[in-house]
Amino acid sequence: MRQLASRLLKWHASGVPYAVASVVAVRGSAPLQPGAALCVHADGTVVGSVSGGCVEGAVYELAREARSSGQPQLASFGYSDDDAFAAGLTCGGEIDVFVQAVEGETARVLAAGHRAVEAERPAVVARVMTGADGQIGRTIVLLEDRHLGTTGQPGLDEAVLADARMMLGLDDTRVGVYGTGGSTEPRETRVLLESWSPSPRLLVFGANDHAAAVAEIGAFLGYRVTVCDARPTFTTPERFPSAHEVVVDWPHRYLAAAETDRRTVVCVMTHDPKFDVPLLVEALRRPFAYVGALGSRRTQAARVRDLREAGVPPAALARLRSPVGLDLGASTPQETAVSIAAELIAVRNGRSGRALSAIDGPIRSERHPSDAAPVR
């Protein structure tokens, strides 16, 4: 639901109830992971997805029913052998989907979480899926400085908030199982907890066509993109419409003062030693998710020599991905950006970057929550 925050805030502002269907569990192979959501407006408009298409119709009907009746429900969908057109997952897996109407107090509380997403602040949303009558669907949102909403049971509120505080700042979705009064035994109440962290940062250094293409694909992948270059003539918002921020500054000076974390990605597109070397000295001393630099193999050899002379240790140098990107034969700025994005996704998921048709094993990687603690 995090990715739908902007749209859902508009729905909230209109005052019209809607319904949300969220994936809460996956068994076997499934197109989307827990946290994926499909939302249905009163006029029938749909945003989001829970399965990539194979059970969307059935979930849509459940969402319309929940919106009309106000009654939440938990449903399971799996592979159907008997009827290829039945509501089943053709990939062979099984998903559980929690469906509820969003109106009144629930809408007010959820909107606070969506506003936090819009402001790039962390939030944890907790929704009761099973429990006592009148309790299912109740929602709590934990923010950095306060919480809103209640499960209707003080002991359960306390237990859920304790778990939510441990998740704040992480990208994670899990189901908490609680007993009466919030204790862990006996197990009676199931609560969906979704932690929404600020978007990871992509810092693109260099004001050129390659940087513009990387900024565009980075924004498409969900990064908060900053483009930085020391030359004001070239570093303008008009040249980088996809960037969230365009900064005129010496790259190494900007990076030294920037707030970053272990999810941060750095792409150096300048291939100019007077910019690259001091910038990479700063970047390689931090535990960033990815540091890549554009340039030929000759440029990279000279760059490594300069970085060694600047005192960068071998272990840090080994983290530098240059020439940047995967071996796709890319030549244009757009192709180069795709090459870089492909490598970035492979690194993030610990995958080889090889063609799926040439290897065995699972297609998708299990996502683990990222450590979002600042490293500045």
Side-chain angles (χ1 to χ4, degrees), residues 10 17 30 52 85 118 211 214:
K10 293 178 181 178
F85 296 98
E118 287 287 274
V214 170

Side-chain angles (χ1 to χ4, degrees), residues 271-323:
H271 53 85
D272 184 334
K274 69 177 179 290
F275 294 115
D276 292 0
V277 173
L279 170 60
L280 288 170
V281 169
E282 177 67 28
L284 291 172
R285 75 178 184 84
R286 303 191 188 199
F288 289 150
Y290 179 97
V291 179
L294 188 69
S296 67
R297 297 194 186 280
R298 177 179 293 181
T299 298
Q300 172 63 2
R303 181 186 289 143
V304 168
R305 182 194 63 231
D306 293 341
L307 290 171
R308 284 173 178 156
E309 291 176 355
V312 178
L317 278 174
R319 294 176 43 236
L320 175 60
R321 294 183 173 269
S322 182

